[in-house]
């Protein structure tokens, strides 16, 4: 079973889940969703996961998100099973506090010494124990997600 820790940052909720090999997370959508049109963004920060929807299955690695799914649409009423395939895994789930908030997420690959700032949002480093922040600098090459509100 996943263990979630919630961080609420102004208009954004970030849930950090730490899981072990074999843990599963089940969900079902009331209406069809696609990788580009979902109520949340799931970012796989550490480890390997599989996502099964009916007869479809895809593996997702650290640094990927549900935007990397090759399935065109997840139908309503179909059980979605997310399973941890590696010993230790971390997944972030990002959603707005108010569903009518529009936002975008961009993966940024930073080089040593580079700093990124979010104008109206947060920077989410792909590390298990790091909280989202408004700016972030790196000492070594690293991937971060820039989460920004669209106004």
């Amino acid at each position: 079973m996943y263990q979630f820790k919630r961080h609420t940052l102004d208009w954004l909720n970030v849930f950090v889940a730490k899981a072990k090999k074999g843990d599963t997370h089940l969900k079902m959508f009331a209406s069809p969703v696609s990788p580009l049109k979902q109520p949340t963004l799931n970012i796989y920060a550490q480890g390997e996961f599989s996502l099964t929807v009916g007869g479809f299955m895809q593996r997702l690695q650290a640094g990927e998100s549900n935007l990397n799914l090759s399935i065109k649409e997840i139908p309503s009423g179909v059980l979605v099973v997310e399973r941890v395939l590696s010993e230790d895994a971390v997944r972030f789930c990002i959603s707005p506090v108010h569903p009518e908030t529009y936002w975008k997420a961009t993966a940024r690959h930073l080089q040593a010494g580079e700093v990124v700032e979010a104008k109206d949002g947060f920077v989410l480093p792909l590390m298990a124990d790091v909280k989202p922040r408004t700016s972030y600098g790196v000492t070594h090459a690293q991937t971060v997600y820039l989460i920004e509100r669209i106004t």
Side-chain angles (χ1 to χ4, degrees):
M1 178 66 70
Y2 287 23
Q3 296 177 8
F4 289 95
K5 183 176 181 181
R6 178 181 174 172
H7 303 280
T8 300
L9 307 158
D10 189 21
W11 56 271
L12 187 72
N13 287 316
V14 178
F15 297 88
V16 180
K18 295 183 182 182
K20 300 281 184 197
K21 186 175 185 174
D23 285 352
T24 58
H25 180 64
L26 308 175
K27 55 188 163 186
M28 190 178 295
F29 296 101
S31 59
V33 298
S34 69
L36 294 176
K37 184 185 173 207
Q38 287 194 45
T40 62
L41 175 67
N42 297 321
I43 301 171
Y44 303 94
Q46 178 181 317
E48 184 179 13
F49 297 78
S50 70
L51 192 84
T52 305
V53 181
F56 170 84
M57 194 279 282
Q58 184 172 340
R59 290 176 180 250
L60 295 160
Q61 306 286 330
E64 293 185 305
S65 72
N66 56 341
L67 298 175
N68 296 101
L69 288 171
S70 61
I71 191 169
K72 295 202 184 303
E73 183 177 85
I74 299 172
S76 61
V78 174
L79 185 64
V80 178
V81 180
E82 185 180 81
R83 180 170 281 112
V84 179
L85 302 175
S86 54
E87 287 305 318
D88 291 306
V90 177
R91 174 172 76 79
F92 297 105
C93 178
I94 300 169
S95 65
V97 172
H98 303 288
E100 65 276 2
T101 302
Y102 295 98
W103 57 285
K104 66 179 180 175
T106 309
R108 293 276 310 268
H109 305 287
L110 304 179
Q111 298 304 315
E114 196 172 353
V115 175
V116 65
E117 292 190 26
K119 289 182 176 61
D120 187 11
F122 302 92
V123 179
L124 181 66
L126 295 186
M127 298 168 60
D129 296 319
V130 176
K131 294 181 182 179
R133 53 194 71 191
T134 56
S135 67
Y136 188 71
V138 297
T139 57
H140 60 282
Q142 183 180 350
T143 299
V144 299
Y145 272 80
L146 185 59
I147 313 297
E148 296 180 296
R149 181 168 31 192
I150 300 171
T151 53

